[in-house]
């Protein structure tokens, strides 16, 4: 049993998590640190990311460092990769959790809204991975975890640019797996159901909508952030050696109904 549990340990690993100042990104960073990884937290807000890193380090056992960065500045992502390697060494685990959802009806959409959504949700995950993958190839080991969505599979109201970007992230995850898994790099995505975060604040302001989505699951409730813990650690660990190119729904059976 000890040998099996060792396959889930992240001791000695370094992870980079974007969107790590709050919500899903912060929870996933916490799970990685609790499994033993040293974690570099990346987000735009310096104060929030510094506070998050201090909290993770205090909890342990993994250490945490904060790097304030805007991943939408695609040309700077190689520089981010270098900065992220300074605290603990080159990251071998990448979690692309930064994202936006404009939630606008189709009549109000503009080219800029579409571009910004795709830059943050789809393009930044690829170009950041592109900057980090050479070091993973050199070491023969890596893990990439992207954040997909229920909208990778189906449509929701007021979700055109978001759904387009999340359909794209499902496909780019498969393409990453095809390109890099032969080098020991497993690329997968988590497609969350409804979790209460800053990104879903408008949904959770409507009690009837919250109850509707809870009833739509097989489990009978909406997600809790701690539901991310097990899947995050699995996808980041040696236990994931033969799982790649998958989009795994963490949705309480929402898509199953």
């Amino acid at each position: 049993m000890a040998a099996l549990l060792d396959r889930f340990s992240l001791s000695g690993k370094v992870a980079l998590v974007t969107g790590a100042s709050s919500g899903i990104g912060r929870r996933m960073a916490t799970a990685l640190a609790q499994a033993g990884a040293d974690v570099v937290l990346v987000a735009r807000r310096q104060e929030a990311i510094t506070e998050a890193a201090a909290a993770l380090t205090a909890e342990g056992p993994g250490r945490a460092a904060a790097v304030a960065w805007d991943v939408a500045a695609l040309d700077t992502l190689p520089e981010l990769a270098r900065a992220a390697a300074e605290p603990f060494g080159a990251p071998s685990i990448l979690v692309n959790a930064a994202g936006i959802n404009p939630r606008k009806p189709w009549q109000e959409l503009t080219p800029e809204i579409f571009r910004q959504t795709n830059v943050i949700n789809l393009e930044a995950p690829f170009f950041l991975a592109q900057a980090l993958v050479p070091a993973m190839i050199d070491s023969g080991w890596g893990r990439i975890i992207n954040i997909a969505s229920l909208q990778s599979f189906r449509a929701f109201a007021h979700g055109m640019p978001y759904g387009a970007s999340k359909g794209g992230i499902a496909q780019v995850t498969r393409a990453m797996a095809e390109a890099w898994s032969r080098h020991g790099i497993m690329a997968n995505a988590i497609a969350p159901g409804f979790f209460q975060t800053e990104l879903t604040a408008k949904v959770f302001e409507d009690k009837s909508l919250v109850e509707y989505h809870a009833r739509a699951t097989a489990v009978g409730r909406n997600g809790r952030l701690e539901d991310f813990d097990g899947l995050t650690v699995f996808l980041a660990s040696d236990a994931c050696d033969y799982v790649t190119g998958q989009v795994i729904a963490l949705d309480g059976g929402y898509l199953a109904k």
Side-chain angles (χ1 to χ4, degrees):
M1 180 60 73
L4 173 60
L5 294 179
D6 286 345
R7 291 181 58 78
F8 292 89
S9 172
L10 300 181
S11 179
K13 302 297 186 184
V14 178
L16 187 162
V17 181
T18 71
S21 61
S22 64
I24 288 171
R26 180 161 179 172
R27 186 70 199 196
M28 293 178 74
T30 300
L32 296 173
Q34 289 179 349
D38 294 324
V39 186
V40 178
L41 309 182
V42 176
R44 290 179 300 169
R45 297 175 294 180
Q46 179 71 66
E47 184 177 352
I49 203 71
T50 299
E51 181 275 326
L56 261 64
T57 298
E59 293 169 8
R63 300 167 294 175
V67 177
W69 212 279
D70 183 0
V71 297
L74 301 180
D75 291 344
T76 73
L77 295 183
E79 185 181 349
L80 170 58
R82 290 189 290 271
E86 291 179 3
F88 312 118
S92 58
I93 300 166
L94 169 62
V95 176
N96 285 305
I100 61 170
N101 187 350
R103 297 186 189 277
K104 290 184 177 294
W106 63 267
Q107 301 96 324
E108 297 178 16
L109 295 175
T110 65
E112 180 55 31
I113 290 172
F114 250 90
R115 289 191 200 102
Q116 183 186 35
T117 305
N118 277 278
V119 163
I120 295 173
N121 293 359
L122 177 58
E123 296 179 32
F126 169 74
F127 286 108
L128 183 53
Q130 183 188 57
L132 293 171
V133 157
M136 297 182 192
I137 291 175
D138 287 345
S139 69
W141 194 96
R143 297 291 184 267
I144 298 169
I145 307 174
N146 295 320
I147 300 300
S149 168
L150 299 185
Q151 293 194 64
S152 299
F153 305 99
R154 55 153 294 175
F156 286 97
H158 306 325
M160 284 189 180
Y162 182 78
S165 70
K166 293 304 183 178
I169 204 68
Q171 180 55 31
V172 84
T173 298
R174 290 186 280 266
M176 288 174 172
E178 190 283 327
W180 300 327
S181 293
R182 63 180 60 90
H183 302 290
I185 301 166
M186 305 300 117
N188 294 286
I190 298 174
F194 285 87
F195 290 77
Q196 189 167 5
T197 68
E198 290 181 9
L199 203 62
T200 59
K202 290 184 179 179
V203 173
F204 279 83
E205 288 171 359
D206 186 335
K207 183 178 179 181
S208 64
L209 196 56
V210 171
E211 292 173 350
Y212 168 81
H213 287 306
R215 290 194 304 270
T217 70
V219 173
R221 65 169 174 85
N222 291 305
R224 302 173 186 136
L225 286 175
E226 57 265 32
D227 294 325
F228 273 87
D229 295 356
L231 185 54
T232 298
V233 173
F234 166 67
L235 292 177
S237 72
D238 285 335
C240 188
D241 274 349
Y242 202 60
V243 178
T244 194
Q246 303 305 304
V247 181
I248 303 172
L250 185 66
D251 68 346
Y254 198 113
L255 292 174
K257 291 183 69 174

